[in-house]
Amino acid sequence: MKKYLKIFLFLVIIGLASIIAVNYYVKSSTKNRIYYSVKKFPKNDVGIIFGAGINGNRPSKYLKDRLDAGILLYKMKRINKILLSGDNGREEYDELTVMKNYCYTHGVDTTKIFVDYAGFDTYSTMYRAKHIFKIKRATLISQKYHLNRAIYIGNKLGIKSVGFSANNGEYLGYNYVCFREYGSIFKSFFDILRNREPRFFGDEININGESNYSKEDKR
């Protein structure tokens, strides 16, 4: 019994050490690509905003701040187009329509809004941004805890990425999502190694072509 307990503890230690090492590598290799102010922020053609939950037909605090940050960059001419990526996999839960309507009602030209209807996780969003939307460079817009992973995935998939922090005030459960991110970064590291493909593909929507924003969804 002691033998198996020692083996178990050894494997736990190895696992924890691996998670810490991968997180250190990912964070140290991406931290200089995260910006916190519009001043001196590099211009990019495309900004990608990641879904982060809704409350009925309103964005959550996390998502609202991401949308506000993306709209600010758009109005300050730091990005020209916005790609919205999120979950609309259930009829009663549609992040994308909430995100589209929010951008539209806050002054973003709908011809500059593109929509990824199958961005069910960060890896899928970045993979589809590369292969479906043909994006080569992008500004990634999210809270700080999430940006290291998003930038790392983007760069590894061939999208030259920088991040803009959407942090604005306090968030419910922020310590928890920061802790959970250790596991998410570790998983993403192996997603890259095995070149995981997202569950859904679809037809090409070139980011330099016509927007796929549905005019019927305006509110």
Side-chain angles (χ1 to χ4, degrees):
M1 188 67 179
K2 288 184 177 180
K3 175 183 177 182
Y4 292 113
L5 181 59
K6 287 182 179 179
I7 293 174
F8 173 74
L9 290 174
F10 175 75
L11 292 175
V12 168
I13 292 170
I14 292 297
L16 290 174
S18 298
I19 291 172
I20 292 170
V22 167
N23 272 262
Y24 176 80
Y25 165 66
V26 169
K27 291 178 180 180
S28 62
S29 65
T30 57
K31 64 181 181 180
N32 291 333
R33 294 179 177 270
I34 298 175
Y35 293 79
Y36 302 90
S37 171
V38 176
K39 294 180 180 179
K40 297 183 179 180
F41 187 80
K43 291 183 179 181
N44 257 329
D45 188 40
V46 183
I48 300 177
I49 302 178
F50 301 84
I54 55 176
N55 301 310
N57 63 350
R58 299 174 60 186
S60 68
K61 164 68 172 169
Y62 284 88
L63 182 54
K64 179 183 182 300
D65 288 349
R66 295 179 187 187
L67 292 167
D68 286 341
I71 292 167
L72 173 64
L73 292 177
Y74 170 79
K75 290 183 175 180
M76 296 294 291
K77 301 188 184 302
R78 295 301 194 272
I79 56 175
N80 300 317
K81 303 166 189 170
I82 294 175
L83 173 62
L84 304 173
S85 184
D87 182 356
N88 73 329
R90 306 188 305 277
E91 185 175 342
E92 70 278 9
Y93 186 86
D94 185 355
E95 283 186 335
L96 273 307
T97 295
V98 172
M99 294 167 76
K100 288 191 295 183
N101 290 336
Y102 191 91
C103 288
Y104 168 64
T105 57
H106 286 78
V108 181
D109 183 345
T110 58
T111 65
K112 303 297 184 182
I113 300 174
F114 290 75
V115 186
D116 176 8
Y117 290 96
F120 296 115
D121 57 39
T122 303
Y123 183 88
S124 296
T125 292
M126 298 310 299
Y127 192 101
R128 288 171 55 80
K130 174 67 176 179
H131 296 279
I132 300 295
F133 292 89
K134 304 300 180 183
I135 295 173
K136 297 179 180 179
R137 301 169 59 95
T139 294
L140 312 184
I141 302 157
S142 187
Q143 277 75 25
K144 167 65 176 68
Y145 79 90
H146 177 224
L147 285 174
N148 295 105
R149 172 163 56 106
I151 293 168
Y152 175 77
I153 294 171
N155 285 329
K156 289 296 182 181
L157 291 177
I159 300 176
K160 190 172 181 179
S161 303
V162 295
F164 185 77
S165 174
N167 281 62
N168 182 20
E170 297 183 358
Y171 298 93
L172 182 66
Y174 195 76
N175 289 336
Y176 168 71
V177 296
C178 289
F179 176 76
R180 189 183 63 182
E181 191 66 12
Y182 280 89
S184 298
I185 287 175
F186 190 67
K187 179 181 180 298
S188 295
F189 180 80
F190 287 97
D191 284 340
I192 293 292
L193 286 181
R194 65 189 182 92
N195 194 30
R196 175 171 75 87
E197 294 185 352
R199 182 178 177 186
F200 298 103
F201 274 97
D203 298 329
E204 178 182 318
I205 306 169
N206 196 308
I207 200 72
N208 295 313
E210 183 179 355
S211 164
N212 67 331
Y213 184 106
S214 173
K215 303 299 186 293
E216 287 72 28
D217 287 333
K218 289 182 183 178
R219 296 289 189 272

